[in-house]
Amino acid sequence: MKVLVVGKGGREHALVHGLWLSGAEVLATQPNPGMAQHARAIAVAPTDVAGILAVAQAEHVDLVVIGPEAPLVLGLADVLRANGIAAFGPGKAAAQLEASKDFTKNFLNRHGIPTARHVTVTDLQAAKRALRTFAHPPVIKADGLAAGKGVAVPDTWEEAEAAVQAFLGDRTLGDAGATLVLEERLIGPEISALALCDGKTLLPFDLARDHKRILDGDRGENTGGMGAVSPLPTVDAATRARIDREVLQPTLAGFLADGLDFRGVIYAGIMLTADGPKVLEYNVRFGDPEAQVLIPRLGAQLADLLLATATGQLAGKTLPTDVPAAVTVVLAAANYPATPRTGDVITGLDAASAMPDVLVFHAGTQADGATVRTAGGRVLTVTGLGATVAQARARAYAAAAGIHFEGQQMRTDIAASVI
Ligand code: AMP
Ligand code: GLY
């Protein structure tokens, strides 16, 4: 099988590694040095839709796997499928589930999927009046894509008004903030429920948890994610069944009812409230860093599963269970997330990668001769595999301890909450 992977971060390194392990010939757009170990480099940007189509045709690939949301929102999957090329990733219409919070709230409500009460506003004065229809300051969400900066969770009315003023009044996020969703604030642990979906059949992964704040104890600034774990032994079987019954299956029913041909991975960000699971958001792609724990657990079956997803043949398939647990720890650059410093020399990569049951995925790295240097906010994600979460966690941290670069940031409590 010949596969083109679109994207160049830690998630895409996990995809390339799993596809290579599956025996596929792998090509990748502008791969980072870790990806380049197992993929032939294609000098086309992940958002260059015409360029990617041309490469897929010239190379006669069997499958294009689209990692990030930006090319999905641009309609890359539609263009590929219209030209007879199998694509893992939903089309532009379904990608609205990630690109528009208002679209998502309407989808959730239309299909009876539990979520927080909300009001959508496009006018500053109306927004300020709408705030007071909530008993407590609501969560304020910019409608459009804002690279993780589009959600404010205010503790006071003053903070809520300031967020509305910034997003909608001052357009600090550009047009992403032209429409706002104001939403009741929910309380409870957060989980990530991902499932492969081929348009007709869902194949849910074990639950995962991301750790979004920069500091231990979920303190400090929001980031793209500082580590992840799967499964979540602290979530009981009844809750898991509720997530499938009340969120994932109705989501598939919604796709069918709305005529959305969803072929890829649907990711529901869920809060486990006292009233049951409620959806905070959808993503229409693998999470990063959730991919770095979910994909290694698929072992050499990744290529087969992704192709079956893209071609509508998931019925009767199951996910492999031979890797019971995985934990990934992000090594982030100095000054991440505000203004990550780049160019620092990374040492210890080879020794860490050689450790058993350890995978070192590159995210923001660049090659400089034989040296590897930092080149982005999240630099590496170090995954440990094991029979239990505790074992996987110990392996991830043991490997991470051997890798160094100036100013490196790492949380020490990834997965601790589920052991
Ligand atoms: P989102 O991009 O919608 O997932 O929001 C980013 C983060 O904001 C989530 O991971 C939650 O921690 C928080 N958040 C979003 N919506 C709510 C809500 N309704 N109640 C409490 N926290 C929320
Ligand atoms: N881990 C969160 C995300 O990928 O959006």
Side-chain angles (χ1 to χ4, degrees):
M1 194 190 305
K2 193 169 179 183
V3 186
L4 171 61
V5 173
V6 175
K8 52 184 176 182
R11 165 183 50 213
E12 288 76 25
H13 189 184
L15 286 164
V16 165
H17 181 268
L19 290 163
W20 166 78
L21 208 60
S22 307
E25 179 186 351
V26 190
L27 285 59
T29 57
Q30 303 175 334
N32 65 41
M35 296 167 72
Q37 292 170 14
H38 297 305
R40 175 148 60 88
I42 300 292
V44 169
T47 49
D48 179 353
V49 172
I52 290 166
L53 172 64
V55 169
Q57 286 175 323
E59 295 279 351
H60 301 286
V61 302
D62 299 294
L63 176 67
V64 179
V65 177
I66 304 166
E69 62 274 19
L72 295 168
V73 173
L74 290 173
L76 174 59
D78 304 297
V79 169
L80 292 168
R81 284 194 277 266
N83 284 277
I85 297 163
F88 179 91
K92 191 174 188 167
Q96 287 301 301
L97 287 172
E98 178 155 356
S100 167
K101 304 270 186 204
D102 181 52
F103 180 93
T104 298
K105 296 302 286 191
N106 291 331
F107 178 91
L108 292 165
N109 289 330
R110 184 162 66 245
H111 301 298
I113 302 166
T115 189
R117 181 176 81 80
H118 86 286
V119 178
T120 296
V121 288
T122 53
D123 169 84
L124 186 60
Q125 293 317 316
K128 289 185 173 171
R129 281 194 304 275
L131 283 178
R132 298 297 175 153
T133 66
F134 291 85
H136 303 282
V139 175
I140 292 149
K141 300 186 175 187
D143 177 62
L145 287 177
K149 304 213 182 295
V151 177
V153 187
D155 290 318
T156 65
W157 293 107
E158 290 69 32
E159 287 169 20
E161 294 211 2
V164 165
Q165 178 64 43
F167 289 174
L168 184 55
D170 306 339
R171 296 291 166 89
T172 52
L173 303 169
D175 284 346
T179 298
L180 298 184
V181 168
L182 313 182
E183 167 175 303
E184 170 199 11
R185 181 161 174 181
L186 303 174
I187 296 168
E190 278 184 64
I191 55 129
S192 306
L194 288 85
L196 296 175
C197 178
D198 70 353
K200 312 179 287 271
T201 301
L202 274 184
L203 204 49
F205 289 92
D206 274 339
L207 299 177
R209 172 163 296 144
D210 185 8
H211 298 64
K212 287 203 172 129
R213 303 295 194 93
I214 186 79
L215 299 174
D216 281 4
D218 295 326
R219 292 173 303 112
E221 277 183 274
N222 220 32
T223 73
M226 292 295 290
V229 51
S230 179
L232 302 180
T234 50
V235 177
D236 62 30
T239 305
R240 167 80 238 204
R242 261 188 102 168
I243 291 165
D244 289 341
R245 195 173 63 241
E246 297 178 17
V247 176
L248 293 178
Q249 291 301 337
T251 297
L252 174 60
F255 293 158
L256 295 171
D258 291 354
L260 297 173
D261 183 19
F262 195 106
R263 295 169 186 234
V265 58
I266 180 72
Y267 165 152
I270 293 173
M271 199 167 259
L272 299 176
T273 75
D275 295 333
K278 295 197 182 189
V279 175
L280 298 179
E281 65 162 349
Y282 286 113
N283 295 313
V284 297
R285 44 148 183 102
F286 276 109
D288 187 345
E290 286 95 329
Q292 290 92 308
V293 293
L294 296 176
I295 290 173
R297 297 183 61 202
L298 303 180
Q301 292 186 45
L302 180 70
D304 177 50
L305 285 163
L306 297 187
L307 184 65
T309 303
T311 55
Q313 301 186 64
L314 271 186
K317 302 245 182 219
T318 52
L319 298 180
T321 54
D322 30 315
V323 178
V327 171
T328 202
V329 176
V330 171
L331 303 184
N335 299 326
Y336 176 73
T339 48
R341 192 172 75 207
T342 59
D344 290 306
V345 174
I346 306 170
T347 59
L349 281 173
D350 291 342
S353 305
M355 292 170 75
D357 296 303
V358 167
L359 294 164
V360 178
F361 295 120
H362 290 228
T365 65
Q366 64 187 347
D368 173 13
T371 305
V372 180
R373 293 180 185 271
T374 64
R378 291 188 291 176
V379 176
L380 298 162
T381 67
V382 183
T383 297
L385 309 176
T388 61
V389 168
Q391 189 179 50
R393 178 172 193 265
R395 286 174 174 155
Y397 274 112
I403 300 174
H404 295 285
F405 51 88
E406 197 58 34
Q408 124 190 2
Q409 303 188 72
M410 176 184 82
R411 277 182 64 160
T412 65
D413 64 347
I414 303 302
S417 65
V418 303
I419 293 176

